[in-house]
Amino acid sequence: MNREMDKYYAINKLFLSRIGCWPYQRKVIKILIPSLLTIIHCSTFTTQVLLLYKTWGDIDIAVECMISMAFVFVGSTKLLNIAINNNKFRQLLQLMNKHWEIFNGEDERNILSYYACISLKIAKYYGGYILISLILYLFIPLVPRILDIVVPLNESRPLVYVFQGEYGVDKEKYYFLIVLHSYIASLNTITAVFTVDITYIASVLHACSLFAAISHRLNSLNGQEEIKTGDEKKTHIVAHNHSLRDEDISISNDHYKLIICLKKHQFALEHVQILNSIFTKATFILLSLNVLMLSVVGIQVLNNATHTDEIIRYAFLAYGTFLHLIFMCIPGQLLIDRSTEVFEKAYAAAWYTFSVKTKRLLSILLYRSFVPCTLTAGKMFVMSMTMCSSVTQTAMSYFTAFLSIR
C-alpha cells in the first residue's frame, strides 16, 4: 500500500492480519488462522446444539441458545466470507492503491483523504465501543464469584455463564475452564465482526470519495467548483462565460475534462462491482440473523425483567445488534447519495457551450450515472436506510409472534 493507505488503514491491516485475512500474508497463515478460529466457533456451536437436544421443549433455553448460535454464526460468516473472497479483496486493495495515484489532483486528494479520515475515526470509535461492551459483557459471569469473596453468604451464589452450553462435564468443577472457553469464543467472534465491519465501511467510504471527486471535477463544467476538506468547506465560483476568441480552447478543455471524468467514473464503478461481489451473499445471511437476534433478544429482556444484571447484558447485546444493522445500511445509503450526485452534476453542466463531440460524451456519462450504485444483500435487497427500517419492522413482527407462541 502507498503512504496514504498505510496512514488511514493501519487499524484495518492490523486486525485483518490477526484473523489471517490480510491478502499479503503468507498462504499458510491465511489458511491456519481462519481454520483455527472456525474450529473454536464450531466447538461453541456444538455446545449449543447439545444443550438444545438435552432440554428439548424448554422455550426459554431454546431462545437463549438461538441468541448464542446467531452471535457465533455472525462472526463465522464474516470471517469465512473475507477468507474465501481473499483474492477479490486483494484485487480491491490494488484498485484502491491505484486510485490514490490516478486521482492525483490536489482537490481530489483532499476529498479522498477526507473520507479516509472518516473511516479511521469510525474504526477508533467503533473499536472503543466494542471494547467497553465486551469487558462489561464478559465481566458479569465473574460477579457472583467476586461477591462470594468480598461479601460471603452462608451459601455460594448461583454460577453465571457467558452463554449456556452443554459440555458433558460437571459445570461447577470445571467452571473456570468453561468460562475460559466462552471468553475465547466471544473474543474471536467480536474480533472478526469488528475487523470485517471496519473494512467494509472503509471500502464503501473510499467508493464514496471517488464519486465525490468526480462530482467536484464536473463542477468546473457548470461554472462552480466545490472543494470539501476535513476542516472546512470552500466554494469557488469559476466563470463559465467564454469570450468568442477563447471558445475553441474552452471547448477542448471541457472535452478533455469529460474524458477524464468518464475514465475515473469507470474506475469507481469497477470498485463498487468488486466490493458488492465480495459482500452480497454474506450480507443476505447477516440481515436474516439480525432479524432473528433483534426478535429473540427482546424476548430475553422480558424473561429476565427481575434480573438487573441480565437486563444490562441483553440491553448491550440488543444495542450492539442494532448498531451492527446501522453499520450495514448507512454505507449503502451514502454510496447511493454520492453516486447520484454525479448524475446531478453532469445534468447541471452547461451543455449548450459544448461541441457536438463533448455533448456525446456528456450523454454517455448521464446514461452511466442515471442508475445509482448500490450494495445489495443476495442481489435482491438494496442496502439503504429504507432497508434498515424494513428489517427493524420485520424483527418487531417476529418478536410479537414469538411472544404469542410463548
Side-chain angles (χ1 to χ4, degrees):
M1 296 194 298
N2 57 33
R3 184 171 58 86
E4 288 83 1
M5 291 187 68
D6 279 330
K7 174 183 177 182
Y8 293 114
Y9 304 128
I11 296 178
N12 303 70
K13 180 180 178 180
L14 173 65
F15 281 91
L16 283 168
S17 300
R18 294 296 178 268
I19 64 173
C21 292
W22 182 246
Y24 300 102
Q25 286 178 294
R26 288 185 299 170
K27 189 173 182 179
V28 63
I29 299 296
K30 291 193 292 184
I31 295 175
L32 184 61
I33 297 180
S35 299
L36 180 61
L37 297 180
T38 303
I39 291 173
I40 295 174
H41 289 158
C42 289
S43 66
T44 306
F45 202 83
T46 302
T47 64
Q48 305 302 306
V49 174
L50 292 175
L51 181 62
L52 274 176
Y53 177 77
K54 185 178 179 179
T55 60
W56 187 255
D58 191 324
I59 296 179
D60 291 337
I61 294 181
V63 170
E64 175 79 19
C65 290
M66 287 171 64
I67 294 175
S68 302
M69 288 191 291
F71 178 65
V72 172
F73 200 66
V74 166
S76 299
T77 301
K78 288 179 177 289
L79 174 66
L80 293 176
N81 178 66
I82 202 72
I84 292 171
N85 293 290
N86 208 252
N87 290 332
K88 287 185 179 180
F89 184 53
R90 178 198 289 266
Q91 186 180 356
L92 190 70
L93 287 176
Q94 291 173 345
L95 272 178
M96 292 172 66
N97 190 72
K98 188 176 181 180
H99 295 156
W100 281 93
E101 298 174 358
I102 294 174
F103 289 74
N104 52 12
E106 181 180 354
D107 298 333
E108 293 173 334
R109 281 298 183 97
N110 288 338
I111 292 172
L112 264 64
S113 298
Y114 172 74
Y115 280 88
C117 186
I118 291 176
S119 68
L120 178 60
K121 289 180 180 179
I122 290 175
K124 290 180 179 178
Y125 293 144
Y126 188 34
Y129 165 76
I130 289 289
L131 181 61
I132 294 172
S133 300
L134 185 64
I135 291 173
L136 292 175
Y137 186 81
L138 298 182
F139 181 72
I140 289 175
L142 298 179
V143 171
R145 288 287 186 171
I146 295 174
L147 290 177
D148 283 341
I149 299 174
V150 178
V151 188
L153 300 176
N154 293 331
E155 59 181 10
S156 298
R157 291 175 174 84
L159 297 176
V160 179
Y161 300 89
V162 178
F163 47 77
Q164 296 296 326
E166 178 56 50
Y167 289 84
V169 296
D170 187 342
K171 287 189 174 183
E172 292 190 8
K173 182 178 180 181
Y174 296 98
Y175 175 74
F176 287 106
L177 287 177
I178 292 174
V179 170
L180 178 62
H181 173 263
S182 303
Y183 280 1
I184 293 173
S186 299
L187 185 61
N188 289 338
T189 302
I190 286 294
T191 302
V193 170
F194 168 73
T195 303
V196 177
D197 279 352
I198 62 173
T199 301
Y200 173 76
I201 291 171
S203 302
V204 177
L205 286 178
H206 179 77
C208 292
S209 70
L210 300 182
F211 288 116
I214 295 167
S215 298
H216 164 70
R217 183 174 283 272
L218 285 170
N219 273 334
S220 61
L221 298 179
N222 60 11
Q224 180 173 315
E225 292 184 1
E226 186 174 84
I227 306 171
K228 190 174 184 182
T229 64
D231 301 320
E232 59 182 354
K233 192 174 181 180
K234 303 177 181 178
T235 302
H236 300 282
I237 305 300
V238 181
H240 201 16
N241 298 323
H242 310 303
S243 62
L244 183 61
R245 61 181 184 193
D246 293 331
E247 185 176 357
D248 293 337
I249 297 176
S250 64
I251 289 175
S252 63
N253 286 339
D254 286 336
H255 187 80
Y256 174 74
K257 288 178 182 178
L258 265 179
I259 291 175
I260 298 299
C261 286
L262 276 168
K263 289 182 178 179
K264 292 184 176 181
H265 190 254
Q266 185 60 39
F267 280 118
L269 293 178
E270 184 182 3
H271 177 87
V272 174
Q273 182 181 8
I274 296 175
L275 177 62
N276 190 50
S277 67
I278 293 174
F279 289 101
T280 182
K281 295 178 181 178
T283 303
F284 177 76
I285 297 173
L286 295 171
L287 273 181
S288 304
L289 291 173
N290 264 275
V291 172
L292 176 65
M293 289 186 70
L294 285 174
S295 302
V296 297
V297 165
I299 295 175
Q300 284 301 94
V301 170
L302 295 180
N303 289 343
N304 296 275
T306 58
H307 300 86
T308 305
D309 54 347
E310 290 297 305
I311 289 179
I312 294 174
R313 190 159 70 104
Y314 286 113
F316 270 105
L317 188 58
Y319 182 72
T321 303
F322 185 73
L323 185 66
H324 178 250
L325 177 62
I326 293 292
F327 269 57
M328 291 172 63
C329 294
I330 285 184
Q333 184 65 54
L334 286 175
L335 183 62
I336 292 173
D337 295 341
R338 295 290 84 80
S339 60
T340 302
E341 195 176 88
V342 174
F343 175 81
E344 293 173 351
K345 298 296 183 183
Y347 186 79
W351 57 269
Y352 45 84
T353 66
F354 298 163
S355 65
V356 175
K357 289 184 178 180
T358 307
K359 289 178 182 178
R360 289 174 181 171
L361 286 178
L362 183 63
S363 64
I364 294 173
L365 182 58
L366 286 170
Y367 176 77
R368 288 184 177 181
S369 59
F370 179 71
V371 178
C373 290
T374 58
L375 298 172
T376 61
K379 298 183 179 179
M380 293 184 290
F381 306 109
V382 176
M383 301 305 296
S384 64
M385 291 311 296
T386 304
M387 175 55 60
C388 181
S389 176
S390 299
V391 169
T392 305
Q393 291 175 1
T394 304
M396 293 302 101
S397 299
Y398 281 112
F399 170 66
T400 54
F402 287 150
L403 279 181
S404 63
I405 293 173
R406 185 173 177 276

